[in-house]
Amino acid sequence: MRVALITLALLLSAAAMAECTDANEVFSCRVGQNALQVCHEDNTLIYSFGPPGNPDLTLTEPLETADFTPWPGIGRTMWDSLAFHNEGITYEVWAALDKQMDETAPEPQVQGGVTVMEGDRTLASLTCSEGSVRSFLDTVSVLKTAIGQCWDFDSDSWTTGCN
């Protein structure tokens, strides 16, 4: 019985650590030798950071309560952020795109990273390696809309019962 429980725990743990597929990827990039990923599965968002295929940290958050802030639609830089909370530590994944074209770049580059905070104090600020961001966080808006939520710009929060 004990062996079966240990095996089940390892299988569940491996499933949580699995890399995103193209179908469920919300955000991904490289930070040095590490992979930073956010996936969605069964109305759950999954954050992972660490060596590819074997992350040091994996966190989950129900889509319904996900702390996602969409770009407000003003300014030259489009940005989104998604925060995961764990024992007083916040892991805020962000993505940004400067809409003003640089003549030297053939197309705009999405930038991203993760900021790790304890309260208002920044513990670490990691930026994705140049050119490694594969997707923008705006997929979270689509997912939240699909479960009946909408962004209320007046209260800066997600609400239900949208028109």
Side-chain angles (χ1 to χ4, degrees):
M1 177 70 165
R2 181 168 160 69
V3 172
L5 289 175
I6 291 171
T7 303
L8 178 61
L10 289 172
L11 288 172
L12 291 174
S13 167
M17 293 188 311
E19 292 189 33
C20 297
T21 65
D22 286 343
N24 74 347
E25 182 179 271
V26 173
F27 177 87
S28 71
C29 74
R30 283 186 335 277
V31 177
Q33 298 299 313
N34 292 309
L36 168 59
Q37 295 185 310
V38 177
C39 307
H40 70 90
E41 188 171 310
D42 299 326
N43 288 329
T44 300
L45 294 172
I46 305 161
Y47 166 93
S48 64
F49 182 85
N54 189 25
D56 297 321
L57 179 64
T58 301
L59 303 171
T60 61
E61 181 69 33
L63 182 59
E64 184 177 333
T65 58
D67 188 358
F68 175 68
T69 305
W71 176 54
I74 58 173
R76 89 176 222 186
T77 302
M78 295 172 26
W79 59 269
D80 293 316
S81 70
L82 174 62
F84 290 83
H85 306 281
N86 183 40
E87 298 179 9
I89 306 295
T90 300
Y91 301 83
E92 184 176 31
V93 178
W94 60 272
L97 175 67
D98 187 341
K99 297 184 298 181
Q100 186 169 339
M101 289 292 294
D102 178 354
E103 305 84 43
T104 62
E107 58 186 68
Q109 290 284 320
V110 176
Q111 298 178 333
V114 61
T115 304
V116 182
M117 297 168 289
E118 184 173 30
D120 290 336
R121 186 171 69 111
T122 300
L123 303 176
S125 185
L126 306 173
T127 302
C128 297
S129 301
E130 187 174 334
S132 72
V133 177
R134 288 183 16 124
S135 47
F136 209 76
L137 286 168
D138 57 345
T139 301
V140 179
S141 283
V142 174
L143 294 169
K144 287 180 91 54
T145 300
I147 63 167
Q149 293 185 335
C150 59
W151 182 254
D152 181 350
F153 285 97
D154 293 331
S155 67
D156 285 338
S157 65
W158 289 93
T159 62
T160 56
C162 310
N163 293 336

